[in-house]
Amino acid sequence: MWNLFIIATLWDNPKVLRGAWKMENLYDKLWRQHLVHTESDESDSMSLLYIDRHLVHEVTSPQAFEGLKLAGRKPWRVDSILAVADHNVPTTDRSHGIADPTSRLQVDTLDENCDEFGITEFKMNDLRQGIVHVIGPEQGATLPGMTVVCGDSHTSTHGAFGCLAFGIGTSEVEHVLATQCLLMKKAKSMQILVDGELGYAITAKDIALAVIGRIGTAGGTGYAIEFAGSAIRALSMESRMTLCNMAIEAGARAGMIAVDQTTIDYIKGRPFAPRGEHWEKAITFWRTLKSDEDAVFDQVVTLDACQIKPQVTWGTSPEMVTTIDGRIPDPLQITDKAKRQDVEHALEYMGLMPNTPINEIFLDKVFIGSCTNSRIEDLRAAANVVKGRRIASTIKLAIVVPGSGLVKHQAEQEGIDKIFREAGFEWREPGCSMCLAMNDDRLAPGERCASTSNRNFEGRQGPGGRTHLVSPAMAAAAAVAGHFVDVREI
Amino acid sequence: MEKFHFCEGLVVPLDRANVDTDAIIPKQFLKSIKRSGFGQNLFDEWRYLDHGEPGMDVSQRKLNPDFILNQPCYKSAQVLLARANFGCGSSREHAPWALQDYGFRVIIAPSYADIFHNNCFKIGLLPIVLDARIIDQLFLEVEATGGYFLTINLAAQTVTTPSGDAFRFDIDPFRKQCLLNGLDEIGLTLQHKEKIRQFEQKRRIEQPWLFL
Ligand code: SF4
């Protein structure tokens, strides 16, 4: 059957035929397999790409549903959509609903739209509710070989499963709802090769920040990134998601990792995953989802895994990052005028003096959560550090916000919540929370936070708030010490 | 989508690289379920001295006199001159909505973040890429000249300065047609309805697990 399908596809499309002769990387394959129509034979021509999975949340969808209805249209394929409210939901007691009327209206609007069209939605008090990028994989709704889109830039997360996954704007959300397709041009391909063994307590978050430190936040612009190499192969699915999640912070819309046994083992038995005869067929196909040997990339970046140290951002962009044994840069040492101004500006906002050692930065708050680092493995890693310890008396608030109700439940089964609570952390309900502070969880002006999230932009965690991005273990260690410390030394 | 042919617009220079979407429109304003009204909160944290929340009467708020958009000579600017990697960060289309609602019709920068760049085209806001050296020159000219206008001709793909220098910019032909004619992309895609159905049918047979 497969052969027949391939022949049929080749027959239909001479461009595909030509493509099939040459070695393909993973991105080439995923692109070709979803190509419905292309305007011309040029490699950069506008193409129509089929979308398999559409994840929807409350912030970027209301205007899309409204547009759809105004045009008298209906969703093309309701069974491709999975919806959840995550950005606006409170992480404290939910039994009385959402207090803020504008947040409530947005969540209610999602509920109404989903009910109207019969879209599967995990409502706020459903145990399966959580951050959209945590629940997709958790449910098996993200499967290898899919195109996955969501009105959210961190959709790149799902590329960990050998998917082509990327964030879209609201007009495109409407376009996918109405047509099951997107109009786009093929990106260039970049391979990021990380070989060797990661050191003790070094995580995917450190790899991600090290990559961004190297190529910059615009380094991946116009590219789809594939992460490869022995260090990547050795990562768990949770870690792979962390890494692909941050691909957007390097400017790449999509990050991806080839399918292997780790991928397949993770998916098996999840609610939306194929079963029985379909399962066998599926895994045979999924195993083909990797770059051909000798496939070419437009750019290759290599990193030595054993050189990566714990990373801490010091500025207002994820590329403003250094290692735990580093110091705050000195603008006087920077010759490029624009760069120097950027750094000066960032240091002023962050309230930091040049040349300060990173481990002398004291914190007010600690946030463990977000679609980058709120999965069970993240919580275990952080709990491991705080076990039997107390957070420093100078820390005003330390919170753990699990990525989903199911993650929270599992953590409670393992007694992880108790470890955090005993150490002085607050244990919250799942959602985006202090990653972008659309609900009540936020920093006050001037407050400094060690955060496991993905963006340290000005005001991201609350107006005037100062964010340092780190791994869960580093955040936990900082909570205990009150300032940044090398997690490898405690 | 609004048609775009031509714009002769006052230019405001925003001399900062990596302007992110959180800066363009802070998240508290994302709670709106409407598409309009974001202009008054464009660059909210830079533009006002107090902290803005949805529903506040902006006429009562204190403007930050140092912020470039607040300087009287740039009032009613239609062209935003920006630096590299403009619009990085989130996928929020609220960022282009806010720029357009404020009155901008064109952005000129050496580079943009992908999703933002894409989102602009969807609503008829034209994001032009010019070489960094030309951008440097434009910054110098704008900052030296009061009331600096640029003329943007989409059909000819040119940006023309008051002294008559014309710079050509690239644009994808499909996007250009969509802008010139104000085309509805969904309508265009639906012209391929049959092809989409056939593709889907084949997929349903080959990978039935993708269909619930
Ligand atoms: S956790 Fe943060 S980055 Fe992730 S979807 Fe929510 S707001 Fe966006």
Side-chain angles (χ1 to χ4, degrees):
Chain A
M1 180 108 90
W2 272 111
N3 293 344
L4 267 181
F5 173 53
I6 291 165
I7 292 167
T9 314
L10 297 179
W11 197 260
D12 279 346
N13 192 335
K15 183 172 181 253
V16 171
L17 184 61
R18 235 179 298 140
W21 295 117
K22 71 166 209 272
M23 295 299 164
E24 290 180 308
N25 61 43
L26 176 58
Y27 176 59
D28 294 330
K29 290 186 189 184
L30 292 169
W31 179 269
R32 172 173 53 76
Q33 288 164 2
H34 291 88
L35 201 57
V36 174
H37 173 79
T38 180
E39 287 296 321
S40 84
D41 255 6
E42 301 301 315
S43 63
D44 69 340
S45 74
M46 204 49 96
S47 303
L48 206 54
L49 216 63
Y50 187 79
I51 303 303
D52 295 308
R53 174 70 67 230
H54 189 182
L55 302 167
V56 169
H57 68 74
E58 80 277 20
V59 182
T60 53
S61 66
Q63 298 88 348
F65 279 111
E66 187 192 52
L68 192 77
K69 288 189 245 184
L70 283 175
R73 292 172 176 137
K74 284 199 166 67
W76 178 283
R77 221 190 97 203
V78 168
D79 75 326
S80 70
I81 311 170
L82 179 61
V84 71
D86 52 7
H87 287 62
N88 280 281
V89 298
T91 58
T92 46
D93 179 22
R94 289 178 180 174
S95 53
H96 305 294
I98 304 174
D100 175 354
T102 47
S103 284
R104 189 170 62 232
L105 176 63
Q106 207 164 49
V107 174
D108 287 348
T109 306
L110 178 67
D111 290 354
E112 282 160 24
N113 283 324
C114 290
D115 291 346
E116 179 177 345
F117 292 115
I119 292 168
T120 306
E121 185 200 8
F122 298 159
K123 298 224 160 76
M124 188 168 79
N125 290 319
D126 191 314
L127 181 64
R128 299 166 298 176
Q129 182 270 344
I131 305 172
V132 67
H133 307 308
V134 174
I135 67 161
E138 182 173 81
Q139 292 294 322
T142 301
L143 294 173
M146 279 183 163
T147 38
V148 180
V149 297
C150 175
D152 193 283
S153 58
H154 291 97
T155 310
S156 59
T157 310
H158 307 263
F161 290 82
C163 297
L164 179 54
F166 50 88
I168 56 178
T170 297
S171 293
E172 289 179 311
V173 170
E174 186 182 336
H175 195 282
V176 177
L177 284 173
T179 71
Q180 209 59 38
C181 290
L182 270 182
L183 272 166
M184 56 195 309
K185 283 173 149 195
K186 195 173 176 189
K188 289 177 284 183
S189 59
M190 180 187 292
Q191 185 188 43
I192 297 188
L193 258 181
V194 192
D195 276 315
E197 214 171 303
L198 287 175
Y200 168 72
I202 306 299
T203 67
K205 183 64 161 287
D206 301 302
I207 305 179
L209 289 170
V211 166
I212 297 164
R214 167 85 84 82
I215 70 173
T217 48
T221 304
Y223 288 91
I225 294 179
E226 180 181 347
F227 297 99
S230 59
I232 307 298
R233 295 260 68 85
L235 294 177
S236 67
M237 285 318 293
E238 276 95 347
S239 295
R240 292 180 191 184
M241 286 188 251
T242 300
L243 186 56
C244 290
N245 173 280
M246 297 287 287
I248 182 71
E249 306 312 329
R253 255 179 121 170
M256 65 194 81
I257 293 173
V259 175
D260 62 7
Q261 195 57 41
T262 307
T263 326
I264 292 168
D265 291 344
Y266 179 95
I267 298 166
K268 191 160 191 189
R270 297 199 177 254
F272 289 66
R275 290 169 200 285
E277 184 201 340
H278 282 170
W279 172 256
E280 292 305 323
K281 254 179 88 174
I283 59 174
T284 309
F285 170 57
W286 293 346
R287 288 190 200 280
T288 67
L289 297 171
K290 55 181 180 201
S291 290
D292 293 331
E293 259 177 71
D294 305 325
V296 286
F297 293 83
D298 295 299
Q299 202 181 325
V300 178
V301 174
T302 55
L303 252 81
D304 184 354
C306 61
Q307 300 291 328
I308 300 174
K309 295 179 185 174
Q311 309 278 313
V312 183
T313 67
W314 49 263
T316 52
S317 156
E319 71 185 23
M320 294 174 164
V321 65
T322 185
T323 52
I324 182 66
D325 53 1
R327 286 171 184 269
I328 302 297
D330 186 346
L332 293 176
Q333 309 288 324
I334 303 172
T335 43
D336 182 83
K337 181 175 160 245
K339 269 238 169 74
R340 184 170 64 242
Q341 283 175 345
D342 260 12
V343 171
E344 280 168 356
H345 206 111
L347 294 188
E348 193 193 323
Y349 181 86
M350 293 296 289
L352 291 169
M353 296 301 290
N355 302 311
T356 309
I358 296 294
N359 59 18
E360 287 176 16
I361 299 174
F362 282 79
L363 300 149
D364 301 301
K365 290 185 174 169
V366 175
F367 170 60
I368 297 176
S370 89
C371 58
T372 313
N373 282 129
S374 64
R375 298 177 183 82
I376 191 71
E377 180 186 285
D378 303 313
L379 305 190
R380 284 184 193 135
N384 222 358
V385 174
V386 300
K387 194 170 186 170
R389 296 184 164 108
R390 288 275 317 165
I391 60 173
S393 58
T394 48
I395 299 285
K396 293 185 210 158
L397 176 73
I399 62 172
V400 184
V401 184
S404 72
L406 290 170
V407 169
K408 179 169 183 258
H409 180 73
Q410 187 179 346
E412 287 168 356
Q413 297 285 306
E414 296 179 16
I416 287 175
D417 60 321
K418 261 184 83 191
I419 298 177
F420 280 122
R421 284 212 183 95
E422 282 169 8
F425 277 85
E426 288 185 19
W427 180 250
R428 298 288 186 89
E429 298 296 327
C432 293
S433 178
M434 216 199 273
C435 172
L436 100 160
M438 255 181 102
N439 66 357
D440 294 331
D441 310 335
R442 62 183 69 172
L443 300 180
E447 278 183 342
R448 190 178 297 289
C449 181
S451 177
T452 65
S453 55
N454 41 56
R455 287 188 178 138
N456 49 356
F457 298 158
E458 287 184 18
R460 172 80 179 179
Q461 294 194 292
R466 295 160 172 167
T467 303
H468 296 270
L469 304 176
V470 285
S471 73
M474 283 288 287
V480 171
H483 56 89
F484 286 117
V485 283
D486 192 333
V487 64
R488 298 170 300 179
E489 287 165 12
I490 64 166
Chain B
M1 185 174 76
E2 272 177 53
K3 285 186 191 182
F4 188 107
H5 284 272
F6 192 80
C7 167
E8 189 183 0
L10 179 69
V11 185
V12 57
L14 184 64
D15 195 0
R16 241 182 124 154
N18 301 313
V19 171
D20 61 70
T21 51
D22 280 75
I24 298 173
I25 182 86
K27 70 258 173 167
Q28 60 270 33
F29 304 107
L30 270 49
K31 291 182 185 178
S32 166
I33 57 169
K34 299 203 198 86
R35 226 178 235 269
S36 54
F38 295 102
Q40 56 179 2
N41 302 110
L42 175 71
F43 299 121
D44 200 275
E45 282 185 24
W46 294 342
R47 205 162 130 205
Y48 300 97
L49 290 172
D50 60 346
H51 170 68
E53 282 294 334
M56 276 168 82
D57 178 0
V58 288
S59 65
Q60 302 299 313
R61 294 177 61 194
K62 262 215 156 100
L63 289 171
N64 172 7
D66 295 335
F67 184 55
I68 194 94
L69 258 61
N70 290 335
Q71 295 175 14
C73 60
Y74 295 120
K75 207 171 168 243
S76 65
Q78 289 189 307
V79 179
L80 181 68
L81 184 63
R83 294 290 187 187
N85 200 25
F86 188 80
C88 58
S90 83
S91 66
R92 64 187 73 161
E93 199 163 303
H94 311 68
W97 291 340
L99 287 159
Q100 192 177 52
D101 194 54
Y102 178 88
F104 287 116
R105 298 188 61 213
V106 177
I107 309 169
I108 303 180
S111 60
Y112 301 87
D114 281 338
I115 306 180
F116 174 83
H117 186 244
N118 210 27
N119 285 343
C120 287
F121 284 107
K122 307 288 172 190
I123 64 162
L125 178 67
L126 178 61
I128 293 177
V129 177
L130 289 178
D131 190 88
R133 270 171 315 187
I134 300 173
I135 301 276
D136 285 342
Q137 180 193 328
L138 293 178
F139 265 97
L140 288 177
E141 288 180 17
V142 178
E143 281 160 358
T145 331
Y148 187 92
F149 278 71
L150 284 172
T151 307
I152 292 93
N153 183 333
L154 177 58
Q157 297 178 219
T158 52
V159 174
T160 311
T161 69
S163 59
D165 286 343
F167 304 108
R168 206 183 138 76
F169 62 89
D170 283 333
I171 181 170
D172 171 74
F174 176 82
R175 283 177 164 160
K176 181 175 169 180
Q177 285 313 314
C178 285
L179 280 175
L180 286 171
N181 301 307
L183 296 176
D184 162 28
E185 284 192 9
I186 294 179
L188 288 177
T189 298
L190 288 174
Q191 292 177 359
H192 299 290
K193 213 192 244 161
E194 271 320 301
K195 246 183 151 168
I196 302 171
R197 287 235 168 83
Q198 282 167 17
F199 182 94
E200 193 166 71
Q201 204 41 41
K202 207 149 51 177
R203 211 161 171 71
R204 204 179 276 277
I205 294 165
E206 295 304 330
Q207 297 187 51
W209 57 85
L210 297 177
F211 299 79
L212 298 174

